Amino acid sequence: MNMKKAFEYLGLAQRARSVASGEFQTEEAVRSRKARVVVIAGDASDNTKKHFTDMCTHAGIPYCVLSDKDTLGHAIGKGERSSLAITDDNLAKVFLDSVRE
């Protein structure tokens, strides 16, 4: 897993306005099927992790658990974030490719 590259793609997605961040916006992106990949912070509560993994599994949206809330927020130039969704197909693909490396 190439963490540095993955976080760079998160920043790029944010600059392209293709990120829904925070629990409410992430949930809305999943429900409306706009999310292409969901990222959950490793230190999010067990309830939050279960909620998003269940939602993503049901909707058929890929997800990954990465790092911590502070690092996720920093990658997109914001405060702590428990979850976020990338809404652009191409950015989601390169992000997932970098996570799978």
Side-chain angles (χ1 to χ4, degrees), residues 28-37 61 85-89:
E28 184 59 34
V30 172
R31 286 185 198 276
S32 65
R33 309 282 186 190
K34 291 180 182 175
R36 298 297 174 247
V37 64
I61 297 169
I86 298 176
T87 58
D88 179 83
D89 288 325

Side-chain angles (χ1 to χ4, degrees), residues 50-86:
K50 181 173 179 1
H51 176 71
F52 282 110
T53 56
D54 289 350
M55 278 185 78
C56 290
T57 301
H58 178 72
I61 297 169
Y63 66 88
C64 61
V65 178
L66 285 182
S67 195
D68 56 64
K69 293 187 264 189
D70 189 49
T71 306
L72 277 185
H74 183 72
I76 61 170
K78 301 199 182 247
E80 291 185 348
R81 294 292 188 263
S82 312
S83 61
L84 56 86
I86 298 176

Side-chain angles (χ1 to χ4, degrees), residues 19-34:
V19 170
S21 68
E23 291 184 44
F24 179 76
Q25 287 185 355
T26 304
E27 187 173 326
E28 184 59 34
V30 172
R31 286 185 198 276
S32 65
R33 309 282 186 190
K34 291 180 182 175

